[in-house]
Amino acid sequence: MAHVHEGIGERLRAFVEEQSVFFVGTAPLAPDGHVNISPKGARGSLAVLDEHTVAYLDFTGSGAESLAHLRENGRITLMWCSFGATPDVVRVHGRGEPVFRDDPRWDGLIGHFPQVSGHPGARAVVLVHALRVSDSCGYAVPFLEYRGERDLLVRYFGRRDEAFHADYVERKNAVSIDGLPAVPLPLPPRTS
């Protein structure tokens, strides 16, 4: 029942922007490397830039697998599924590119995320150029109730200084679990 679309039209755009969570899938080139799937979802951290381009704000976390894979090979899939009334699943297969805070494009891209642009954990904007856009049924996806946003990441990094953040990223985000370069060092200062 899958349908392939020319791009992210208005109906699909409305659907993906309505979802509270989406998933990012990436993988290294090495056949024995670890495939990664990451949940994303802070409100305001996703922007559909046009019918063939999606961007999301990537936050500092306990790893940086997606960023490492994108730096190595650019392959990425984004997936949204409805846990509400509409039994739909949307996938964007494409080429992704992380844009870090020291990139000249950062200031222009961060403006697409006004709700979270000052987030103390923001480490990259990931641009995804869609090569295939499809939707399919989500008939077996359960109903789940959205209860709100978590503020733990904001509170955690919001009370830490630049030295702590730089050390954290160097220890946990510089390389992937497969040893691929992830977040480039030295880390530029966080923007306010």
Side-chain angles (χ1 to χ4, degrees):
M1 290 194 260
H3 297 95
V4 177
H5 301 271
E6 291 293 319
I8 305 164
E10 287 305 312
R11 183 184 70 77
L12 295 181
R13 180 184 192 135
F15 176 82
V16 302
E17 289 177 345
E18 180 183 303
Q19 304 315 306
S20 301
V21 65
F22 65 99
F23 301 89
V24 174
T26 59
L29 292 176
D32 61 345
H34 293 82
V35 174
N36 188 65
I37 300 171
S38 292
K40 307 291 182 191
R43 283 278 187 211
S45 65
L46 173 80
V48 179
L49 304 183
D50 60 44
E51 286 195 352
H52 301 285
T53 313
V54 177
Y56 69 87
L57 192 55
D58 187 73
F59 300 106
T60 300
S62 56
E65 302 311 301
S66 297
L67 297 178
H69 298 158
L70 293 175
R71 289 184 67 194
E72 183 197 42
N73 62 59
R75 297 178 304 166
I76 189 168
T77 299
L78 306 179
M79 185 188 79
W80 298 263
C81 55
S82 172
F83 298 107
T86 307
D88 205 2
V89 175
V90 172
R91 289 179 181 85
V92 171
H93 296 82
R95 305 293 298 171
E97 172 191 13
V99 176
F100 297 100
R101 296 185 313 219
D102 58 350
D103 189 299
R105 298 172 292 170
W106 175 266
D107 289 336
L109 290 170
I110 198 69
H112 291 286
F113 312 100
Q115 288 179 272
V116 290
S117 62
H119 192 294
R123 66 180 173 192
V125 172
V126 175
L127 287 173
V128 178
H129 306 285
L131 300 175
R132 184 178 195 273
V133 177
S134 64
D135 68 336
S136 59
C137 77
Y139 292 171
V141 176
F143 289 104
L144 297 174
E145 185 178 327
Y146 174 76
R147 291 182 34 206
E149 296 292 306
R150 295 181 194 267
D151 66 351
L152 297 172
L153 191 65
V154 170
R155 287 190 293 135
Y156 183 80
F157 284 114
R159 66 178 180 251
R160 305 301 201 282
D161 64 12
E162 283 301 308
F164 175 89
H165 191 249
D167 177 66
Y168 183 96
V169 170
E170 186 172 341
R171 286 183 296 110
K172 296 185 178 267
N173 298 164
V175 296
S176 74
I177 57 177
D178 293 317
L180 297 172
V183 178
L185 300 172
L187 188 67
R190 296 180 287 181
T191 57
S192 56

